[in-house]
């Protein structure tokens, strides 16, 4: 099964000038935990709810701070040719719960572990990917 059959293709995005407050409100209204950051339809990064807390609030940033200071730019992606099985392998290997799908650098969709779990052909594989992704972190000393 191809990833385009299970991905969400109508994705809301933000840009580098978006503020923490704007992004947090978008996440709340869309009920999502990650937003892709695009410039000229090209994926340049992502920001997660965790980024807003750990990189933002914990460093005394406020709602007006631009997200450019806290985004992840080395984003792992799939392509429209990625299979569901390959996507699960990628997500498991890199311990990520969401995989942006790009075509020539342009964002065309997003697939989440939940998307994979509800696809009939991949329930067992999605469970394995979730198990691999959910390895507990070791405490830092």
């Amino acid at each position: 099964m191809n990833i385009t059959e299970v991905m969400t293709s109508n994705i809301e995005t933000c840009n580098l000038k978006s503020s923490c407050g704007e992004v947090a409100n978008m996440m709340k209204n869309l009920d999502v935990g990650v937003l892709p950051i695009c410039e000229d339809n090209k994926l340049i990064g992502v920001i997660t709810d965790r980024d807003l807390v750990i990189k933002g609030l914990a460093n005394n940033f406020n709602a007006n701070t631009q997200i450019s200071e806290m985004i992840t730019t080395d984003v792992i992606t799939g392509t429209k040719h990625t299979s569901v099985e390959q996507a699960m392998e990628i997500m498991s290997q890199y311990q990520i719960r969401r995989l942006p799908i790009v075509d020539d650098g342009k964002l065309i969709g997003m697939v989440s572990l939940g998307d994979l779990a509800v696809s009939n052909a991949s329930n067992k594989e999605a469970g394995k990917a979730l198990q691999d992704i959910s390895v507990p972190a070791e405490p830092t000393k």
Side-chain angles (χ1 to χ4, degrees), residues 86-105:
Q86 290 168 323
M88 286 185 288
E89 287 174 21
I90 292 167
M91 294 167 82
S92 178
Q93 177 183 354
Y94 292 98
Q95 293 193 325
I96 55 177
R97 296 175 185 271
R98 303 163 191 100
L99 184 67
I101 306 301
V102 297
D103 184 22
D104 196 27

Side-chain angles (χ1 to χ4, degrees), residues 1 6 13 16 33 38 67 74 79 95-96 114 121-122 125 138:
M1 181 180 291
V6 296
T13 66
L16 289 173
C38 295
I67 60 167
D74 57 339
T79 70
Q95 293 193 325
I96 55 177
S122 66
E125 292 89 350
E138 294 292 323

Side-chain angles (χ1 to χ4, degrees):
M1 181 180 291
N2 188 283
I3 202 67
T4 58
E5 297 175 61
V6 296
M7 73 180 190
T8 301
S9 57
N10 203 9
I11 304 297
E12 294 286 331
T13 66
C14 52
N15 61 55
L16 289 173
K17 294 181 181 177
S18 299
S19 70
C20 290
E22 291 169 337
V23 170
N25 280 321
M26 284 179 72
M27 287 179 178
K28 176 184 171 187
N29 293 335
L30 296 168
D31 194 25
V32 297
V34 65
L35 284 171
I37 300 143
C38 295
E39 296 289 334
D40 298 322
N41 294 322
K42 296 270 187 179
L43 179 68
I44 60 168
V46 295
I47 187 159
T48 66
D49 47 5
R50 189 173 194 279
D51 292 332
L52 289 174
V53 173
I54 303 299
K55 296 177 184 176
L57 289 175
N59 288 305
N60 297 316
F61 292 164
N62 63 43
N64 295 319
T65 304
Q66 290 183 344
I67 60 167
S68 59
E69 299 187 46
M70 61 197 76
I71 68 169
T72 299
T73 56
D74 57 339
V75 181
I76 307 299
T77 62
T79 70
K80 64 182 179 181
H81 304 292
T82 302
S83 70
V84 168
E85 292 77 18
Q86 290 168 323
M88 286 185 288
E89 287 174 21
I90 292 167
M91 294 167 82
S92 178
Q93 177 183 354
Y94 292 98
Q95 293 193 325
I96 55 177
R97 296 175 185 271
R98 303 163 191 100
L99 184 67
I101 306 301
V102 297
D103 184 22
D104 196 27
K106 293 184 179 184
L107 181 70
I108 61 168
M110 182 84 74
V111 67
S112 70
L113 195 55
D115 295 330
L116 299 177
V118 297
S119 85
N120 290 335
S122 66
N123 283 337
K124 184 176 178 182
E125 292 89 350
K128 171 73 169 107
L130 178 59
Q131 180 180 3
D132 292 343
I133 291 166
S134 299
V135 173
E138 294 292 323
T140 56
K141 295 183 182 193

